[in-house]
Amino acid sequence: MRVILTDQVFPTVSLERDEFSRHGHEFLVASNESEALTLIEDADAILTTYMPLPAKVIGTMKKARIIARYGIGVDNIDVRAAAAKGIAVTNVPDYCVEEVATHAVAMALAMVRGLPSADAAVRQGEWGVNTVRPLRRLSSLTVGLLGVGRIGGAVARTLATLGPKLIAHDPYAAELPPGVLPVSLEEVFKNSDLLLLHAPLTEATKGLVNASRIDSMKDGAYIVNVARGPLIVLEDLLAALRSGKLRGAGIDTFPQEPLPDVSILEDVPGLLLSPHTAFYSEEALVESQRKAIAQVVKVLHGQSPDYLIAP
């Protein structure tokens, strides 16, 4: 059978070549989106990372049995269109839990302890606590979690060891980690000194963090987003930082990547940025590849995949 990789983002695809060859499958890597659109028409399986696969594209697939995404989110795939054609859609929801949780906690602690300002002060020859004042003890703060899945749960368990009050809103969570108080969406915004976003991107969550909700937050609060960029209306967040409504924001994902105009970030106080790297470690990349490959092999051999999104 024929397996197509729509967009190659890994240092090597030797894992894919070896595994599919071992099972007697042909494996082709598209050199660009145009070639990918042609190749997937007769593909039995599609591996993808970022390439958009809307209903129109899925409609051209004549033989596909599975679309396997290397990452967690599947917002680049029209899942309903795939399900309507009986095409399995899979992801790898557990490959970078440790990495993203660590990144979120690192961003949160760096802001709460004023590390970006402290670093800049020393480089400018400034000294003393006035360079970071005011800082508050973490255990005196309320930390809110918007979404408590694998990653949000790991963040909650880590931060719990440092003593803050933990609250969370997640309408889909069967249970929350010990010590985490469930609250409404309005309450998680209103009561959080530090708000961490771990929600998926859906029509309901797009633009969830906007000017109105930021206005409902405490003055001087912090926001961390290592989930999906469009959860935040970026212009509203930057305005809140400039006005001092928010004291800080740690952002790893953006509505458009790369940012079309980085000048919008100039002279914005309290920003701690990373270029969508929260998911990354060498181990995480290999785990993502191995698990995505496994979903394809299982479906092509008539077995049930481990991470079925639809149908």
Side-chain angles (χ1 to χ4, degrees), residues 210-211 214-215 217 220-221 223 233-248 268-269:
N210 53 39
I214 292 173
D215 285 345
M217 296 181 71
I223 292 177
V233 179
L234 185 59
E235 294 80 5
D236 293 353
L237 178 81
L238 299 180
L241 288 166
R242 287 192 176 99
S243 71
K245 172 64 181 179
L246 292 177
R247 187 169 184 204
V268 179

mmCIF file with all atom_site columns, all heavy atoms in Angstrom, residues 210-211 214-215 217 220-221 223 233-248 268-269:
data_model
loop_
_atom_site.group_PDB
_atom_site.id
_atom_site.type_symbol
_atom_site.label_atom_id
_atom_site.label_alt_id
_atom_site.label_comp_id
_atom_site.label_asym_id
_atom_site.label_entity_id
_atom_site.label_seq_id
_atom_site.pdbx_PDB_ins_code
_atom_site.Cartn_x
_atom_site.Cartn_y
_atom_site.Cartn_z
_atom_site.occupancy
_atom_site.B_iso_or_equiv
_atom_site.pdbx_formal_charge
_atom_site.auth_seq_id
_atom_site.auth_comp_id
_atom_site.auth_asym_id
_atom_site.auth_atom_id
_atom_site.pdbx_PDB_model_num
ATOM 1   N N   . ASN A 1 210 ? -10.066 37.205 25.340 1.00 0.00 ? 210 ASN A N   1
ATOM 2   C CA  . ASN A 1 210 ? -10.251 38.444 24.600 1.00 0.00 ? 210 ASN A CA  1
ATOM 3   C C   . ASN A 1 210 ? -10.318 39.614 25.571 1.00 0.00 ? 210 ASN A C   1
ATOM 4   O O   . ASN A 1 210 ? -10.167 39.453 26.783 1.00 0.00 ? 210 ASN A O   1
ATOM 5   C CB  . ASN A 1 210 ? -11.504 38.362 23.727 1.00 0.00 ? 210 ASN A CB  1
ATOM 6   C CG  . ASN A 1 210 ? -12.732 37.958 24.532 1.00 0.00 ? 210 ASN A CG  1
ATOM 7   O OD1 . ASN A 1 210 ? -12.913 38.396 25.670 1.00 0.00 ? 210 ASN A OD1 1
ATOM 8   N ND2 . ASN A 1 210 ? -13.583 37.109 23.960 1.00 0.00 ? 210 ASN A ND2 1
ATOM 9   N N   . ALA A 1 211 ? -10.520 40.813 25.031 1.00 0.00 ? 211 ALA A N   1
ATOM 10  C CA  . ALA A 1 211 ? -10.496 42.014 25.867 1.00 0.00 ? 211 ALA A CA  1
ATOM 11  C C   . ALA A 1 211 ? -11.496 41.938 27.010 1.00 0.00 ? 211 ALA A C   1
ATOM 12  O O   . ALA A 1 211 ? -11.184 42.306 28.154 1.00 0.00 ? 211 ALA A O   1
ATOM 13  C CB  . ALA A 1 211 ? -10.779 43.244 24.995 1.00 0.00 ? 211 ALA A CB  1
ATOM 14  N N   . ILE A 1 214 ? -10.237 39.438 29.644 1.00 0.00 ? 214 ILE A N   1
ATOM 15  C CA  . ILE A 1 214 ? -9.051  39.976 30.320 1.00 0.00 ? 214 ILE A CA  1
ATOM 16  C C   . ILE A 1 214 ? -9.458  41.073 31.294 1.00 0.00 ? 214 ILE A C   1
ATOM 17  O O   . ILE A 1 214 ? -8.931  41.171 32.409 1.00 0.00 ? 214 ILE A O   1
ATOM 18  C CB  . ILE A 1 214 ? -8.030  40.496 29.287 1.00 0.00 ? 214 ILE A CB  1
ATOM 19  C CG1 . ILE A 1 214 ? -7.447  39.325 28.485 1.00 0.00 ? 214 ILE A CG1 1
ATOM 20  C CG2 . ILE A 1 214 ? -6.900  41.262 29.983 1.00 0.00 ? 214 ILE A CG2 1
ATOM 21  C CD1 . ILE A 1 214 ? -6.566  39.742 27.324 1.00 0.00 ? 214 ILE A CD1 1
ATOM 22  N N   . ASP A 1 215 ? -10.422 41.908 30.904 1.00 0.00 ? 215 ASP A N   1
ATOM 23  C CA  . ASP A 1 215 ? -10.908 42.973 31.793 1.00 0.00 ? 215 ASP A CA  1
ATOM 24  C C   . ASP A 1 215 ? -11.494 42.401 33.078 1.00 0.00 ? 215 ASP A C   1
ATOM 25  O O   . ASP A 1 215 ? -11.473 43.070 34.125 1.00 0.00 ? 215 ASP A O   1
ATOM 26  C CB  . ASP A 1 215 ? -11.961 43.822 31.086 1.00 0.00 ? 215 ASP A CB  1
ATOM 27  C CG  . ASP A 1 215 ? -11.356 44.777 30.065 1.00 0.00 ? 215 ASP A CG  1
ATOM 28  O OD1 . ASP A 1 215 ? -10.131 44.989 30.114 1.00 0.00 ? 215 ASP A OD1 1
ATOM 29  O OD2 . ASP A 1 215 ? -12.116 45.279 29.216 1.00 0.00 ? 215 ASP A OD2 1
ATOM 30  N N   . MET A 1 217 ? -10.325 39.933 34.702 1.00 0.00 ? 217 MET A N   1
ATOM 31  C CA  . MET A 1 217 ? -9.266  39.347 35.526 1.00 0.00 ? 217 MET A CA  1
ATOM 32  C C   . MET A 1 217 ? -8.743  40.351 36.550 1.00 0.00 ? 217 MET A C   1
ATOM 33  O O   . MET A 1 217 ? -8.994  41.553 36.465 1.00 0.00 ? 217 MET A O   1
ATOM 34  C CB  . MET A 1 217 ? -8.116  38.853 34.636 1.00 0.00 ? 217 MET A CB  1
ATOM 35  C CG  . MET A 1 217 ? -8.509  37.733 33.693 1.00 0.00 ? 217 MET A CG  1
ATOM 36  S SD  . MET A 1 217 ? -7.122  37.153 32.657 1.00 0.00 ? 217 MET A SD  1
ATOM 37  C CE  . MET A 1 217 ? -6.115  36.312 33.907 1.00 0.00 ? 217 MET A CE  1
ATOM 38  N N   . GLY A 1 220 ? -2.872  43.025 37.217 1.00 0.00 ? 220 GLY A N   1
ATOM 39  C CA  . GLY A 1 220 ? -1.540  42.474 37.452 1.00 0.00 ? 220 GLY A CA  1
ATOM 40  C C   . GLY A 1 220 ? -1.442  40.972 37.323 1.00 0.00 ? 220 GLY A C   1
ATOM 41  O O   . GLY A 1 220 ? -0.451  40.375 37.744 1.00 0.00 ? 220 GLY A O   1
ATOM 42  N N   . ALA A 1 221 ? -2.455  40.336 36.742 1.00 0.00 ? 221 ALA A N   1
ATOM 43  C CA  . ALA A 1 221 ? -2.419  38.878 36.579 1.00 0.00 ? 221 ALA A CA  1
ATOM 44  C C   . ALA A 1 221 ? -1.469  38.484 35.449 1.00 0.00 ? 221 ALA A C   1
ATOM 45  O O   . ALA A 1 221 ? -1.009  39.316 34.657 1.00 0.00 ? 221 ALA A O   1
ATOM 46  C CB  . ALA A 1 221 ? -3.821  38.354 36.289 1.00 0.00 ? 221 ALA A CB  1
ATOM 47  N N   . ILE A 1 223 ? -0.744  35.431 32.285 1.00 0.00 ? 223 ILE A N   1
ATOM 48  C CA  . ILE A 1 223 ? -1.328  34.397 31.428 1.00 0.00 ? 223 ILE A CA  1
ATOM 49  C C   . ILE A 1 223 ? -0.202  33.623 30.766 1.00 0.00 ? 223 ILE A C   1
ATOM 50  O O   . ILE A 1 223 ? 0.787   34.214 30.313 1.00 0.00 ? 223 ILE A O   1
ATOM 51  C CB  . ILE A 1 223 ? -2.248  35.011 30.349 1.00 0.00 ? 223 ILE A CB  1
ATOM 52  C CG1 . ILE A 1 223 ? -3.495  35.612 30.986 1.00 0.00 ? 223 ILE A CG1 1
ATOM 53  C CG2 . ILE A 1 223 ? -2.642  33.961 29.307 1.00 0.00 ? 223 ILE A CG2 1
ATOM 54  C CD1 . ILE A 1 223 ? -4.426  36.310 29.994 1.00 0.00 ? 223 ILE A CD1 1
ATOM 55  N N   . VAL A 1 233 ? -6.908  36.361 21.574 1.00 0.00 ? 233 VAL A N   1
ATOM 56  C CA  . VAL A 1 233 ? -6.906  37.479 20.633 1.00 0.00 ? 233 VAL A CA  1
ATOM 57  C C   . VAL A 1 233 ? -5.639  38.268 20.944 1.00 0.00 ? 233 VAL A C   1
ATOM 58  O O   . VAL A 1 233 ? -5.582  39.005 21.947 1.00 0.00 ? 233 VAL A O   1
ATOM 59  C CB  . VAL A 1 233 ? -8.164  38.348 20.779 1.00 0.00 ? 233 VAL A CB  1
ATOM 60  C CG1 . VAL A 1 233 ? -8.113  39.520 19.799 1.00 0.00 ? 233 VAL A CG1 1
ATOM 61  C CG2 . VAL A 1 233 ? -9.415  37.509 20.551 1.00 0.00 ? 233 VAL A CG2 1
ATOM 62  N N   . LEU A 1 234 ? -4.620  38.096 20.130 1.00 0.00 ? 234 LEU A N   1
ATOM 63  C CA  . LEU A 1 234 ? -3.290  38.607 20.452 1.00 0.00 ? 234 LEU A CA  1
ATOM 64  C C   . LEU A 1 234 ? -3.285  40.118 20.651 1.00 0.00 ? 234 LEU A C   1
ATOM 65  O O   . LEU A 1 234 ? -2.628  40.629 21.572 1.00 0.00 ? 234 LEU A O   1
ATOM 66  C CB  . LEU A 1 234 ? -2.306  38.208 19.348 1.00 0.00 ? 234 LEU A CB  1
ATOM 67  C CG  . LEU A 1 234 ? -0.832  38.568 19.588 1.00 0.00 ? 234 LEU A CG  1
ATOM 68  C CD1 . LEU A 1 234 ? -0.321  37.921 20.866 1.00 0.00 ? 234 LEU A CD1 1
ATOM 69  C CD2 . LEU A 1 234 ? 0.026   38.162 18.394 1.00 0.00 ? 234 LEU A CD2 1
ATOM 70  N N   . GLU A 1 235 ? -4.017  40.839 19.818 1.00 0.00 ? 235 GLU A N   1
ATOM 71  C CA  . GLU A 1 235 ? -4.042  42.299 19.947 1.00 0.00 ? 235 GLU A CA  1
ATOM 72  C C   . GLU A 1 235 ? -4.592  42.722 21.301 1.00 0.00 ? 235 GLU A C   1
ATOM 73  O O   . GLU A 1 235 ? -4.108  43.683 21.914 1.00 0.00 ? 235 GLU A O   1
ATOM 74  C CB  . GLU A 1 235 ? -4.890  42.908 18.826 1.00 0.00 ? 235 GLU A CB  1
ATOM 75  C CG  . GLU A 1 235 ? -4.317  42.722 17.427 1.00 0.00 ? 235 GLU A CG  1
ATOM 76  C CD  . GLU A 1 235 ? -4.592  41.333 16.856 1.00 0.00 ? 235 GLU A CD  1
ATOM 77  O OE1 . GLU A 1 235 ? -5.323  40.541 17.519 1.00 0.00 ? 235 GLU A OE1 1
ATOM 78  O OE2 . GLU A 1 235 ? -4.088  41.031 15.759 1.00 0.00 ? 235 GLU A OE2 1
ATOM 79  N N   . ASP A 1 236 ? -5.602  41.996 21.793 1.00 0.00 ? 236 ASP A N   1
ATOM 80  C CA  . ASP A 1 236 ? -6.188  42.319 23.101 1.00 0.00 ? 236 ASP A CA  1
ATOM 81  C C   . ASP A 1 236 ? -5.190  42.036 24.223 1.00 0.00 ? 236 ASP A C   1
ATOM 82  O O   . ASP A 1 236 ? -5.099  42.800 25.194 1.00 0.00 ? 236 ASP A O   1
ATOM 83  C CB  . ASP A 1 236 ? -7.466  41.515 23.317 1.00 0.00 ? 236 ASP A CB  1
ATOM 84  C CG  . ASP A 1 236 ? -8.578  41.918 22.359 1.00 0.00 ? 236 ASP A CG  1
ATOM 85  O OD1 . ASP A 1 236 ? -8.407  42.902 21.626 1.00 0.00 ? 236 ASP A OD1 1
ATOM 86  O OD2 . ASP A 1 236 ? -9.619  41.219 22.339 1.00 0.00 ? 236 ASP A OD2 1
ATOM 87  N N   . LEU A 1 237 ? -4.456  40.938 24.092 1.00 0.00 ? 237 LEU A N   1
ATOM 88  C CA  . LEU A 1 237 ? -3.453  40.597 25.109 1.00 0.00 ? 237 LEU A CA  1
ATOM 89  C C   . LEU A 1 237 ? -2.361  41.653 25.158 1.00 0.00 ? 237 LEU A C   1
ATOM 90  O O   . LEU A 1 237 ? -1.965  42.110 26.245 1.00 0.00 ? 237 LEU A O   1
ATOM 91  C CB  . LEU A 1 237 ? -2.845  39.227 24.795 1.00 0.00 ? 237 LEU A CB  1
ATOM 92  C CG  . LEU A 1 237 ? -1.755  38.769 25.764 1.00 0.00 ? 237 LEU A CG  1
ATOM 93  C CD1 . LEU A 1 237 ? -2.381  38.192 27.020 1.00 0.00 ? 237 LEU A CD1 1
ATOM 94  C CD2 . LEU A 1 237 ? -0.836  37.738 25.126 1.00 0.00 ? 237 LEU A CD2 1
ATOM 95  N N   . LEU A 1 238 ? -1.851  42.059 23.993 1.00 0.00 ? 238 LEU A N   1
ATOM 96  C CA  . LEU A 1 238 ? -0.777  43.050 23.955 1.00 0.00 ? 238 LEU A CA  1
ATOM 97  C C   . LEU A 1 238 ? -1.250  44.387 24.518 1.00 0.00 ? 238 LEU A C   1
ATOM 98  O O   . LEU A 1 238 ? -0.508  45.073 25.235 1.00 0.00 ? 238 LEU A O   1
ATOM 99  C CB  . LEU A 1 238 ? -0.276  43.220 22.519 1.00 0.00 ? 238 LEU A CB  1
ATOM 100 C CG  . LEU A 1 238 ? 0.323   41.971 21.862 1.00 0.00 ? 238 LEU A CG  1
ATOM 101 C CD1 . LEU A 1 238 ? 0.780   42.285 20.446 1.00 0.00 ? 238 LEU A CD1 1
ATOM 102 C CD2 . LEU A 1 238 ? 1.462   41.407 22.682 1.00 0.00 ? 238 LEU A CD2 1
ATOM 103 N N   . ALA A 1 239 ? -2.489  44.751 24.218 1.00 0.00 ? 239 ALA A N   1
ATOM 104 C CA  . ALA A 1 239 ? -3.038  46.001 24.752 1.00 0.00 ? 239 ALA A CA  1
ATOM 105 C C   . ALA A 1 239 ? -3.121  45.951 26.276 1.00 0.00 ? 239 ALA A C   1
ATOM 106 O O   . ALA A 1 239 ? -2.833  46.950 26.962 1.00 0.00 ? 239 ALA A O   1
ATOM 107 C CB  . ALA A 1 239 ? -4.424  46.259 24.157 1.00 0.00 ? 239 ALA A CB  1
ATOM 108 N N   . ALA A 1 240 ? -3.493  44.792 26.817 1.00 0.00 ? 240 ALA A N   1
ATOM 109 C CA  . ALA A 1 240 ? -3.609  44.645 28.273 1.00 0.00 ? 240 ALA A CA  1
ATOM 110 C C   . ALA A 1 240 ? -2.242  44.704 28.944 1.00 0.00 ? 240 ALA A C   1
ATOM 111 O O   . ALA A 1 240 ? -2.113  45.207 30.066 1.00 0.00 ? 240 ALA A O   1
ATOM 112 C CB  . ALA A 1 240 ? -4.305  43.331 28.611 1.00 0.00 ? 240 ALA A CB  1
ATOM 113 N N   . LEU A 1 241 ? -1.215  44.218 28.274 1.00 0.00 ? 241 LEU A N   1
ATOM 114 C CA  . LEU A 1 241 ? 0.142   44.317 28.812 1.00 0.00 ? 241 LEU A CA  1
ATOM 115 C C   . LEU A 1 241 ? 0.638   45.758 28.767 1.00 0.00 ? 241 LEU A C   1
ATOM 116 O O   . LEU A 1 241 ? 1.263   46.247 29.709 1.00 0.00 ? 241 LEU A O   1
ATOM 117 C CB  . LEU A 1 241 ? 1.082   43.409 28.029 1.00 0.00 ? 241 LEU A CB  1
ATOM 118 C CG  . LEU A 1 241 ? 0.910   41.904 28.264 1.00 0.00 ? 241 LEU A CG  1
ATOM 119 C CD1 . LEU A 1 241 ? 1.636   41.103 27.197 1.00 0.00 ? 241 LEU A CD1 1
ATOM 120 C CD2 . LEU A 1 241 ? 1.417   41.506 29.652 1.00 0.00 ? 241 LEU A CD2 1
ATOM 121 N N   . ARG A 1 242 ? 0.357   46.444 27.670 1.00 0.00 ? 242 ARG A N   1
ATOM 122 C CA  . ARG A 1 242 ? 0.789   47.842 27.544 1.00 0.00 ? 242 ARG A CA  1
ATOM 123 C C   . ARG A 1 242 ? 0.112   48.735 28.582 1.00 0.00 ? 242 ARG A C   1
ATOM 124 O O   . ARG A 1 242 ? 0.716   49.662 29.129 1.00 0.00 ? 242 ARG A O   1
ATOM 125 C CB  . ARG A 1 242 ? 0.484   48.362 26.141 1.00 0.00 ? 242 ARG A CB  1
ATOM 126 C CG  . ARG A 1 242 ? 1.408   47.806 25.052 1.00 0.00 ? 242 ARG A CG  1
ATOM 127 C CD  . ARG A 1 242 ? 1.242   48.585 23.754 1.00 0.00 ? 242 ARG A CD  1
ATOM 128 N NE  . ARG A 1 242 ? 2.184   48.140 22.742 1.00 0.00 ? 242 ARG A NE  1
ATOM 129 C CZ  . ARG A 1 242 ? 1.896   47.284 21.761 1.00 0.00 ? 242 ARG A CZ  1
ATOM 130 N NH1 . ARG A 1 242 ? 0.670   46.766 21.683 1.00 0.00 ? 242 ARG A NH1 1
ATOM 131 N NH2 . ARG A 1 242 ? 2.810   46.932 20.889 1.00 0.00 ? 242 ARG A NH2 1
ATOM 132 N N   . SER A 1 243 ? -1.153  48.446 28.873 1.00 0.00 ? 243 SER A N   1
ATOM 133 C CA  . SER A 1 243 ? -1.896  49.274 29.826 1.00 0.00 ? 243 SER A CA  1
ATOM 134 C C   . SER A 1 243 ? -1.569  48.934 31.272 1.00 0.00 ? 243 SER A C   1
ATOM 135 O O   . SER A 1 243 ? -1.881  49.716 32.172 1.00 0.00 ? 243 SER A O   1
ATOM 136 C CB  . SER A 1 243 ? -3.400  49.108 29.604 1.00 0.00 ? 243 SER A CB  1
ATOM 137 O OG  . SER A 1 243 ? -3.841  47.819 30.036 1.00 0.00 ? 243 SER A OG  1
ATOM 138 N N   . GLY A 1 244 ? -0.948  47.785 31.502 1.00 0.00 ? 244 GLY A N   1
ATOM 139 C CA  . GLY A 1 244 ? -0.650  47.346 32.857 1.00 0.00 ? 244 GLY A CA  1
ATOM 140 C C   . GLY A 1 244 ? -1.740  46.504 33.472 1.00 0.00 ? 244 GLY A C   1
ATOM 141 O O   . GLY A 1 244 ? -1.620  46.064 34.627 1.00 0.00 ? 244 GLY A O   1
ATOM 142 N N   . LYS A 1 245 ? -2.834  46.277 32.734 1.00 0.00 ? 245 LYS A N   1
ATOM 143 C CA  . LYS A 1 245 ? -3.887  45.401 33.248 1.00 0.00 ? 245 LYS A CA  1
ATOM 144 C C   . LYS A 1 245 ? -3.314  44.023 33.542 1.00 0.00 ? 245 LYS A C   1
ATOM 145 O O   . LYS A 1 245 ? -3.596  43.433 34.599 1.00 0.00 ? 245 LYS A O   1
ATOM 146 C CB  . LYS A 1 245 ? -5.026  45.314 32.231 1.00 0.00 ? 245 LYS A CB  1
ATOM 147 C CG  . LYS A 1 245 ? -6.102  44.278 32.576 1.00 0.00 ? 245 LYS A CG  1
ATOM 148 C CD  . LYS A 1 245 ? -6.818  44.634 33.866 1.00 0.00 ? 245 LYS A CD  1
ATOM 149 C CE  . LYS A 1 245 ? -7.871  43.584 34.204 1.00 0.00 ? 245 LYS A CE  1
ATOM 150 N NZ  . LYS A 1 245 ? -8.575  43.887 35.467 1.00 0.00 ? 245 LYS A NZ  1
ATOM 151 N N   . LEU A 1 246 ? -2.545  43.489 32.614 1.00 0.00 ? 246 LEU A N   1
ATOM 152 C CA  . LEU A 1 246 ? -1.795  42.255 32.855 1.00 0.00 ? 246 LEU A CA  1
ATOM 153 C C   . LEU A 1 246 ? -0.352  42.605 33.150 1.00 0.00 ? 246 LEU A C   1
ATOM 154 O O   . LEU A 1 246 ? 0.228   43.501 32.512 1.00 0.00 ? 246 LEU A O   1
ATOM 155 C CB  . LEU A 1 246 ? -1.859  41.342 31.625 1.00 0.00 ? 246 LEU A CB  1
ATOM 156 C CG  . LEU A 1 246 ? -3.207  40.732 31.263 1.00 0.00 ? 246 LEU A CG  1
ATOM 157 C CD1 . LEU A 1 246 ? -3.069  39.925 29.974 1.00 0.00 ? 246 LEU A CD1 1
ATOM 158 C CD2 . LEU A 1 246 ? -3.756  39.851 32.384 1.00 0.00 ? 246 LEU A CD2 1
ATOM 159 N N   . ARG A 1 247 ? 0.256   41.876 34.082 1.00 0.00 ? 247 ARG A N   1
ATOM 160 C CA  . ARG A 1 247 ? 1.664   42.131 34.385 1.00 0.00 ? 247 ARG A CA  1
ATOM 161 C C   . ARG A 1 247 ? 2.583   41.314 33.490 1.00 0.00 ? 247 ARG A C   1
ATOM 162 O O   . ARG A 1 247 ? 3.706   41.719 33.201 1.00 0.00 ? 247 ARG A O   1
ATOM 163 C CB  . ARG A 1 247 ? 1.967   41.827 35.842 1.00 0.00 ? 247 ARG A CB  1
ATOM 164 C CG  . ARG A 1 247 ? 3.386   42.265 36.182 1.00 0.00 ? 247 ARG A CG  1
ATOM 165 C CD  . ARG A 1 247 ? 3.705   42.264 37.628 1.00 0.00 ? 247 ARG A CD  1
ATOM 166 N NE  . ARG A 1 247 ? 5.060   42.795 37.803 1.00 0.00 ? 247 ARG A NE  1
ATOM 167 C CZ  . ARG A 1 247 ? 5.816   42.536 38.839 1.00 0.00 ? 247 ARG A CZ  1
ATOM 168 N NH1 . ARG A 1 247 ? 5.370   41.759 39.809 1.00 0.00 ? 247 ARG A NH1 1
ATOM 169 N NH2 . ARG A 1 247 ? 7.030   43.063 38.930 1.00 0.00 ? 247 ARG A NH2 1
ATOM 170 N N   . GLY A 1 248 ? 2.100   40.148 33.062 1.00 0.00 ? 248 GLY A N   1
ATOM 171 C CA  . GLY A 1 248 ? 2.978   39.320 32.247 1.00 0.00 ? 248 GLY A CA  1
ATOM 172 C C   . GLY A 1 248 ? 2.198   38.297 31.441 1.00 0.00 ? 248 GLY A C   1
ATOM 173 O O   . GLY A 1 248 ? 1.057   37.954 31.767 1.00 0.00 ? 248 GLY A O   1
ATOM 174 N N   . VAL A 1 268 ? 6.489   46.008 24.326 1.00 0.00 ? 268 VAL A N   1
ATOM 175 C CA  . VAL A 1 268 ? 5.393   45.450 25.114 1.00 0.00 ? 268 VAL A CA  1
ATOM 176 C C   . VAL A 1 268 ? 5.993   44.888 26.403 1.00 0.00 ? 268 VAL A C   1
ATOM 177 O O   . VAL A 1 268 ? 6.767   43.928 26.359 1.00 0.00 ? 268 VAL A O   1
ATOM 178 C CB  . VAL A 1 268 ? 4.636   44.344 24.361 1.00 0.00 ? 268 VAL A CB  1
ATOM 179 C CG1 . VAL A 1 268 ? 3.518   43.784 25.242 1.00 0.00 ? 268 VAL A CG1 1
ATOM 180 C CG2 . VAL A 1 268 ? 4.057   44.872 23.062 1.00 0.00 ? 268 VAL A CG2 1
ATOM 181 N N   . PRO A 1 269 ? 5.672   45.458 27.553 1.00 0.00 ? 269 PRO A N   1
ATOM 182 C CA  . PRO A 1 269 ? 6.267   44.969 28.802 1.00 0.00 ? 269 PRO A CA  1
ATOM 183 C C   . PRO A 1 269 ? 5.687   43.628 29.217 1.00 0.00 ? 269 PRO A C   1
ATOM 184 O O   . PRO A 1 269 ? 4.546   43.295 28.896 1.00 0.00 ? 269 PRO A O   1
ATOM 185 C CB  . PRO A 1 269 ? 5.888   46.055 29.808 1.00 0.00 ? 269 PRO A CB  1
ATOM 186 C CG  . PRO A 1 269 ? 4.608   46.626 29.275 1.00 0.00 ? 269 PRO A CG  1
ATOM 187 C CD  . PRO A 1 269 ? 4.744   46.585 27.774 1.00 0.00 ? 269 PRO A CD  1
#
